[in-house]
């Protein structure tokens, strides 16, 4: 048992020199550090939301982007923070209460249905979560139904350089996805591709990968 314990750190350092691929960037304790590389302001600008807008943060985790979106849409707007894990929504509720944020609606969604209101959203954000969505065709259909005409869907995902040529299943097993797969999904679902950039965020020193971004419109 002791031998195994001693070997694991060596193996991690040898395979991923200079960064930690298992580094947690989702909990509130990591939010300040995440601000230095996530380019959250640029992501929000791609959503084209303003005061009074209605937006969804799909795969909200503990609310890193939810909190920022709530400030953008203001008291006249609303943020639908959706996740499949109740534990994450419970954490989100605590963060919102501590900050006295009242314009966020928590949504416990299904793996194939985000349960967003139909025809009412100006934009939807999926940040570092799309690779987990096995029922992506159904989910994209539900999202499209939730968006107003011209509404935007922004997807931002990671992929490591050494896995870019793997089949989709191989990438998803590593909790990643290449941009080409998402583009195919979006076009198949009837979205118009407005903008795409790969790479968008370089987080090789943090997680060992780079993130791409796609902006699509209903």
């Amino acid at each position: 048992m002791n031998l195994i314990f001693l070997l694991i750190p060596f193996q991690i350092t040898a395979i991923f020199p200079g960064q930690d691929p298992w580094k947690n960037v989702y909990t509130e304790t990591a939010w300040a550090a995440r601000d230095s590389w996530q380019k959250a302001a640029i992501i929000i600008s791609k959503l084209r939301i303003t005061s009074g807008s209605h937006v969804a943060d799909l795969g909200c985790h503990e609310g890193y982007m939810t909190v920022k979106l709530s400030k953008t849409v203001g008291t006249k707007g609303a943020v639908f923070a959706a996740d499949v894990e109740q534990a994450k929504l419970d954490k989100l509720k605590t963060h919102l209460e501590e900050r006295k944020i009242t314009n966020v609606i928590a949504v416990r969604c299904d793996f194939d249905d985000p349960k967003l209101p139909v025809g009412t959203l100006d934009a939807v954000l999926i940040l570092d979560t799309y690779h987990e969505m096995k029922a992506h065709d159904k989910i994209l259909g539900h999202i499209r139904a939730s968006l107003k005409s011209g509404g935007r869907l922004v997807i931002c995902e990671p992929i490591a350089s050494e896995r870019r040529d793997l089949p989709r299943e191989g990438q998803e097993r590593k909790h990643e996805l290449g941009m080409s797969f998402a583009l195919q999904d979006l076009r198949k679902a009837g979205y118009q591709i407005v903008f795409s950039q790969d790479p968008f965020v370089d987080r090789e020193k943090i997680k060992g990968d780079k993130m791409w971004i796609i902006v699509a419109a209903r």
Side-chain angles (χ1 to χ4, degrees):
M1 182 66 67
N2 291 336
L3 179 61
I4 294 174
F5 177 79
L6 290 171
L7 281 174
I8 289 175
F10 171 79
Q11 291 171 342
I12 290 174
T13 304
I15 299 172
F16 302 102
Q19 46 75 33
D20 180 359
W22 295 283
K23 181 180 177 66
N24 178 23
V25 300
Y26 303 106
T27 60
E28 185 185 24
T29 56
W31 288 2
R34 189 173 177 181
D35 282 341
S36 67
W37 54 264
Q38 186 63 84
K39 297 185 180 181
I42 296 177
I43 293 172
I44 293 174
S45 72
K46 298 296 183 185
L47 294 166
R48 289 201 176 172
I49 54 174
T50 59
S51 176
S53 294
H54 287 65
V55 60
D57 183 9
L58 185 52
C60 63
H61 296 276
E62 292 189 13
Y64 172 76
M65 289 299 294
T66 298
V67 170
K68 297 177 186 300
L69 293 170
S70 73
K71 294 178 182 178
T72 303
V73 303
T75 57
K76 294 182 179 180
V79 181
F80 293 84
D83 208 289
V84 296
E85 295 186 29
Q86 186 60 49
K88 291 178 180 177
L89 295 177
D90 292 341
K91 285 280 190 179
L92 168 68
K93 181 181 179 183
T94 299
H95 299 327
L96 297 176
E97 290 175 347
E98 290 173 348
R99 294 167 171 80
K100 296 180 170 59
I101 295 174
T102 59
N103 62 346
V104 173
I105 301 166
V107 179
R108 174 75 180 275
C109 55
D110 292 335
F111 286 98
D112 61 352
D113 186 353
K115 294 186 177 180
L116 299 174
V118 175
T120 61
L121 299 182
D122 298 288
V124 174
L125 171 64
I126 306 176
L127 176 57
D128 204 356
T129 304
Y130 188 72
H131 62 269
E132 302 286 355
M133 299 177 178
K134 305 303 181 185
H136 44 78
D137 290 341
K138 287 185 177 180
I139 291 171
L140 290 178
H142 286 301
I143 293 173
R144 195 168 188 275
S146 74
L147 290 169
K148 298 176 183 176
S149 178
R152 289 190 162 198
L153 168 59
V154 173
I155 303 177
C156 187
E157 286 289 312
I159 182 70
S161 297
E162 64 269 22
R163 288 187 282 275
R164 285 179 175 267
D165 294 330
L166 290 180
R168 183 171 193 151
E169 294 77 10
Q171 293 177 355
E172 290 176 339
R173 278 197 295 270
K174 295 294 185 178
H175 304 283
E176 300 175 342
L177 188 69
M179 188 172 73
S180 61
F181 293 114
L183 287 171
Q184 292 171 11
D185 295 344
L186 289 163
R187 292 185 176 115
K188 179 182 177 182
Y191 290 83
Q192 175 187 355
I193 306 303
V194 176
F195 175 82
S196 63
Q197 183 179 332
D198 183 14
F200 171 62
V201 171
D202 185 344
R203 59 179 204 175
E204 287 190 328
K205 293 182 179 179
I206 298 96
K207 296 279 285 181
D209 55 41
K210 295 179 181 179
M211 302 188 84
W212 50 259
I213 189 172
I214 297 173
V215 181
R218 184 187 187 282

